[in-house]
Each structure stands twice: as structure tokens, then as C-alpha cells.
Amino acid sequence: MALVLCRAAVRLRARIAQPRWYTTAPAEALSRVRNIGIIAHIDAGKTTTTERMLHYAGFTRRIGDVDDGNTVMDYLPAERERGITIQSAAITFGWRDAQLHLIDTPGHVDFTMEVERAVRVLDGAVTILDAVAGVQAQTQTVWTQAARYGIPRLVFVNKMDREGACWRRCVDDVSAKLNATPLVLQVPAAQKPRQGQYTPGELAVWLDAVSLERITFDILSDSSGSSVRRERLTPDADPQAFEL
């Protein structure tokens, strides 16, 4: 009897050593699954950004609005009534050849434990910054929570169309207040707004430092921003872009 149990234990240990032996999905499919969290200070635009991600991925036909109470992620009656996220919500959608589990977390300090529950299962996090306010108190809190679990983080500067918006100040805030070394990946082609506030036309063209492309959103024919044109940047034609 003891010999049978020992052999059974060896077989069980061998099965456990294999990656995710308890699931029916093949290992190749699991390698393309990612848990991505959205973290930020309250009112930075987490849920609004999430709505755009779902729409651009083709998951939803329309873009929900927090003020109208018709977003996908804020499903609790209290969330829709107050216009804030109270409980972390997850949703699954595809992007290219990957499957994303997107987790929208609360930004209010009273619901910090909801963020703590979510970050421990993340593969990466997107930190949303208000382009006017920059790094705020709860931004520092959720950034520290993600750092505690070694979660890689991207920073997305939101609300660039507001008066006083400045992405350069946000970059400085990340360095000074979050004690991190930011690497800028995308910038608006218009480095400074002409009249103190970026217009929709000025925010329609962006420069991508990773792919070395000029990205133009055709906002005249599609106000949702789904129509995009990409052009290759060259040192001769775009010297200013390469100076960034």
C-alpha cells in the first residue's frame, strides 16, 4: 500500500511540475494571455480610457460615457449614479493574436484594498495621469502597490484637450514624485498648443518613437478616433521628430 501511494505521489508531483496542468487550454494559448490593470487617481479617466480600448479592439460598437452611466465596466447602480468605480471589474477581449483580461480598478482612497486585490494577479499595469493635475496622491499609492509586486507599468497621459494640459510636466512628475525614469514613447506632433490649449486638430497627429511612425487620426470622417493612418518617419523629412 505504501509503495502504491509513493508511486501516486511521484506521478502527481510530475503533473504539478508541468505548466498549468489543471487547465484544459494548451500551453501555447496560455502564453498569449495577459492580465492588464488600469490604475490611477480618482477622476483621471480610467473607465473612460477602458471604454476606448474596448471599442478600438472591436469588442463594443459604441463608446460608453461615465456621465451618462452607460459604461461597460461600471455596472453597479451606485457606480453609475456616482460616476466613480467602487469595485474592480474585469473583462476579456482579443487584440491581434493575444487575449487580454482587462481589470479596471477604483481610484478613490476608500477603495484602496480593491486595487491591492487586483495588482497581485497582473502581468502589467497602465497608469493614467490627468494632463493638468499630473501625479496625484492616489497615483503615488497605486504606483507603490504595483511596485511591491514587481508589476511593469506604462503611463498614459489623459485629458490632453483640457486647458493647462502639459505632457512634459507629467513626465517630470513621474521622475520627481514616483522616483522612476520615464521613457517617452509617443508625443503630439504639435509640441506646444498655439493658444494655450490643444485643439482637436493638434491632437490628431502623434509621433511614435518605437515604430518611428507619424500616426494621424482622421477625426473629420470618424470622431471616435477609429480611423488611423500611419506614415514612416525619416530623418530628412522629419528632422524635428528625431530630435525628440
Side-chain angles (χ1 to χ4, degrees), residues 167 184-189 191 205-209 244:
W167 64 269
V184 179
L185 303 180
Q186 290 184 345
V187 296
Q191 292 300 294
V205 185
W206 289 75
L207 306 178
D208 192 315
L244 298 175

Side-chain angles (χ1 to χ4, degrees), residues 99-128:
Q99 183 180 13
L100 300 183
H101 300 314
L102 188 65
I103 303 176
D104 184 20
T105 66
H108 197 283
V109 64
D110 290 346
F111 309 116
T112 301
M113 285 308 299
E114 279 292 311
V115 183
E116 187 74 19
R117 282 197 317 141
V119 294
R120 64 181 63 193
V121 302
L122 298 181
D123 295 306
V126 179
T127 306
I128 310 293

Side-chain angles (χ1 to χ4, degrees), residues 60-91:
T60 58
R61 294 186 178 182
R62 61 168 180 80
I63 299 176
D65 190 278
V66 174
D67 295 331
D68 295 336
N70 58 2
T71 60
V72 174
M73 303 301 280
D74 286 345
Y75 61 93
L76 296 177
E79 292 178 320
R80 297 194 168 189
E81 180 181 348
R82 300 170 62 182
I84 64 172
T85 301
I86 297 175
Q87 179 176 306
S88 296
I91 196 166

Side-chain angles (χ1 to χ4, degrees), residues 133-148:
V135 172
Q136 298 170 274
Q138 193 65 6
T139 312
Q140 295 174 293
T141 300
V142 296
W143 185 273
T144 302
Q145 288 176 297
R148 187 182 306 129

Side-chain angles (χ1 to χ4, degrees), residues 12 34 43 48 69 73 84 95 105 107 115 119 126 132 134 137 146 168 191 199 212 240:
L12 178 61
R34 294 291 183 270
D43 286 337
T48 301
M73 303 301 280
I84 64 172
W95 179 253
T105 66
V115 183
V119 294
V126 179
V132 178
R168 292 183 183 273
Q191 292 300 294
T199 64
L212 294 180
Q240 182 181 3

